[in-house]
Amino acid sequence: MPNTQITAVFYMVMSMIAYQISASFAKQLFEVLDPLTVVTLRLCFASILIFLMFRSWKIIKRLPYLKWKDLLFYSGSVCLMNVLFYASLGKLPQGIAVGLEFLGPLTLAFLSIKQKSDYIWVFLAVMGIALMIPWQDATAHNFSWLGAAFAIGAGVCWAFYIYFGQKVVRQNIGMHALTIAIVLSAMVMLPVSAVHNPEALLQTQYWKQALMIALLATAIPYALDLMALKQLSKLSYGTLSSLSPAIGAVTGMILLKEHITFYQCIALVCIMAASIGVTFRAKPEPTQ
């Protein structure tokens, strides 16, 4: 496997680790703030972070010449994905929310299959996800069908995020595409939250946690995702994303002392096998 693909896989793994840690932090913050406020604060802080990090004032002169159709779809998918996933986190256990959200990129990976031999990796990923999700909670008090709908909707947005992310990276504007997407998302969410719960936005004692979530959930993983999408196909990215529930389970075990069942251990093996297999089988998509 080319070194560029190995680097891309490393970017993806680091992205997912950062995102899963941030999800745990966000869920803790839901105890004092509503999910809409948390995602708004996250996007606002993230827009400032990445604007400074990537020196995105350099792109201002090029704005009239960009392909805005792809950028707007990319930005919209980022915004809705964040809102729906955080809404699902507020109603579901993290493992179920992440597992259901993954159905989006997994479906995209399935639709991107060109060789029959690749079906085995998607099958392993599906089996791993099925074993990872604690289905017995579906009849418990902490399961919400509305939350499940939010998670699946976030997964659909995740699939669009992958699709339009690959189109956006071909505009050769680098990480400035991420800046544009996050700034537009923050501009949309800020007035919505200001109407929904203006008092919550002004509770400055929680801004420090929101800033940390913005760094771990947006600035770091989305930047790494864009770098990975330059080298990975939709099949590779979609199947490798199956590591998210596994990383979430391991993160919960280490940071929150959560227990991993025997079936979840089998699920980890299936997901890891699928991710490794599709990585070594896939070829990078040519850039344009």
Side-chain angles (χ1 to χ4, degrees):
M1 184 172 58
N3 289 335
T4 53
Q5 278 193 278
I6 295 175
T7 302
V9 172
F10 173 77
Y11 288 153
M12 278 198 66
V13 172
M14 295 307 296
S15 168
M16 288 183 283
I17 290 174
Y19 193 85
Q20 291 303 322
I21 292 174
S22 74
S24 297
F25 290 165
K27 199 168 181 67
Q28 294 173 359
L29 198 55
F30 290 166
E31 296 177 2
V32 289
L33 297 175
D34 63 276
L36 193 62
T37 298
V38 174
V39 74
T40 300
L41 289 174
R42 166 188 157 183
L43 290 171
C44 288
F45 282 120
S47 63
I48 297 172
L49 285 173
I50 62 175
F51 184 83
L52 297 175
M53 186 186 306
F54 303 134
R55 301 178 181 179
S56 293
W57 53 83
K58 297 179 180 180
I59 198 66
I60 294 177
K61 293 182 179 180
R62 293 182 57 186
L63 291 180
Y65 308 103
L66 299 179
K67 297 179 180 178
W68 279 99
K69 180 180 178 181
D70 291 338
L71 273 170
L72 289 176
F73 275 112
Y74 177 69
S75 302
S77 62
V78 168
C79 184
L80 282 175
M81 179 173 64
N82 278 277
V83 172
L84 291 172
F85 179 65
Y86 273 44
S88 70
L89 271 183
K91 295 181 176 294
L92 293 174
Q94 185 174 335
I96 295 180
V98 174
L100 291 175
E101 185 193 27
F102 176 69
L103 291 175
L106 184 62
T107 300
L108 186 62
F110 183 80
L111 294 175
S112 302
I113 289 177
K114 296 180 180 179
Q115 299 184 39
K116 292 182 178 180
S117 58
D118 288 329
Y119 279 99
I120 187 173
W121 310 123
V122 176
F123 173 76
L124 281 173
V126 171
M127 187 166 63
I129 295 298
L131 291 172
M132 178 64 64
I133 298 174
W135 297 104
Q136 65 273 14
D137 285 347
T139 57
H141 68 278
N142 62 345
F143 183 86
S144 165
W145 288 107
L146 180 60
F150 285 150
I152 293 173
V156 173
C157 294
W158 192 356
F160 280 112
Y161 163 77
I162 298 169
Y163 179 78
F164 287 104
Q166 287 191 319
K167 289 181 174 291
V168 165
V169 296
R170 293 168 183 166
Q171 293 197 36
N172 296 319
I173 57 176
M175 294 304 167
H176 300 311
L178 179 61
T179 303
I180 293 171
I182 299 301
V183 169
L184 289 178
S185 298
M187 290 174 63
V188 169
M189 292 308 302
L190 188 57
V192 173
S193 288
V195 173
H196 171 69
N197 193 353
E199 295 82 8
L201 287 175
L202 300 177
Q203 296 187 42
T204 56
Q205 67 268 33
Y206 303 120
W207 285 9
K208 183 178 180 180
Q209 294 98 308
L211 178 61
M212 181 61 66
I213 293 171
L215 184 63
L216 290 173
T218 305
I220 292 176
Y222 287 0
L224 292 173
D225 278 353
L226 279 179
M227 290 189 286
L229 283 168
K230 292 181 180 180
Q231 302 297 333
L232 297 175
S233 66
K234 289 185 286 292
L235 173 61
S236 296
Y237 186 97
T239 308
L240 280 167
S241 296
S242 64
L243 284 170
S244 290
I247 292 174
V250 173
T251 302
M253 180 180 64
I254 295 174
L255 298 181
L256 306 175
K257 309 301 181 182
E258 292 179 343
H259 175 66
I260 296 180
T261 67
F262 173 73
Y263 288 112
Q264 287 175 325
C265 289
I266 296 177
L268 290 175
V269 174
C270 292
I271 292 170
M272 296 289 184
S275 298
I276 293 171
V278 78
T279 301
F280 279 88
R281 275 287 294 115
K283 297 179 181 180
E285 291 189 347
T287 55
Q288 296 178 357

